[in-house]
Amino acid sequence: MINKLLCLLLAFAACTACNDDNNDTIRFATENDGIENGYLQGINLQFYGTSTVTDRNDRPFTDDEAWFEFAGGPESFTLYMHKTRFAAGMPGVEMRLRTVPYAPTGDKSLAFDVAELVPEALRANETGGGSSYQPVERYRITDLEGRIDGVTCRVAFTCAGIYRVVYEGRLIRK
């Protein structure tokens, strides 16, 4: 009888310890107030989701905690890629793509398509303290395309001619 009770307690502890549901800390939005008539309204839109990266040898890497943020107005936006990684051993890098043009595709949706951009990465300043975004030519982004449809977002691009990135996320509720 004691063995059965001990087994049940261990099974219960294992089930509760394995619960990695992110919904305890991440709350997803059910509507998007940051886009009206296909245009960004100056409200930063933050999306949390999955980034799947494939290198030139078709080796995949998946980051299940990818966080993209759109900040912009009626003509273009800045895309922030927070703690972005392209490989398992790579430390997270704060990157941004500035002045990305977009077009409305519906009341709560927009799309973008850019052939090439030089991203900026947050780096320590060489003189003095602090850090700032600096262009990183070797991380050149090509074939950037994506869309926001209501509360979902999809972004795809190639980085450094090596890494094909496909990001899919959902809008985070503030």
Side-chain angles (χ1 to χ4, degrees):
M1 181 67 171
I2 292 177
N3 284 340
K4 286 183 182 180
L5 183 57
L6 184 58
C7 286
L8 285 172
L9 286 173
L10 286 173
F12 177 75
C15 287
T16 57
C18 293
N19 183 6
D20 59 359
D21 185 6
N22 286 330
N23 289 336
D24 292 339
T25 56
I26 303 293
R27 295 175 35 197
F28 294 106
T30 55
E31 11 182 274
N32 186 342
D33 296 330
I35 300 175
E36 293 293 332
N37 298 316
Y39 292 98
L40 292 169
Q41 300 299 300
I43 299 169
N44 286 20
L45 300 176
Q46 298 184 32
F47 293 84
Y48 187 81
T50 301
S51 178
T52 303
V53 182
T54 307
D55 66 15
R56 69 173 71 159
N57 296 318
D58 289 329
R59 289 182 299 229
F61 165 71
T62 301
D63 182 355
D64 291 324
E65 296 181 344
W67 173 24
F68 281 24
E69 180 176 357
F70 293 78
E75 294 181 16
S76 66
F77 61 80
T78 298
L79 172 58
Y80 292 90
M81 297 177 279
H82 298 290
K83 299 178 187 173
T84 195
R85 301 183 306 148
F86 302 128
M90 178 182 174
V93 176
E94 292 292 316
M95 293 178 71
R96 73 179 179 188
L97 303 174
R98 291 172 36 113
T99 319
V100 178
Y102 69 90
T105 57
D107 182 41
K108 299 286 185 182
S109 62
L110 59 87
F112 51 95
D113 187 357
V114 178
E116 187 172 88
L117 288 168
V118 174
E120 297 174 342
L122 191 61
R123 295 188 163 178
N125 292 329
E126 291 180 15
T127 57
S131 57
S132 62
Y133 281 96
Q134 301 169 20
V136 185
E137 181 67 37
R138 69 184 175 128
Y139 288 161
R140 183 173 291 275
I141 301 294
T142 56
D143 304 320
L144 172 68
E145 55 96 10
R147 64 185 303 114
I148 298 174
D149 285 313
V151 296
T152 62
C153 172
R154 183 182 187 285
V155 178
F157 59 87
T158 300
C159 180
I162 299 171
Y163 304 103
R164 183 65 185 162
V165 178
V166 176
Y167 169 81
E168 294 179 339
R170 289 178 45 209
L171 184 64
I172 297 172
R173 189 167 29 154
K174 295 179 183 177

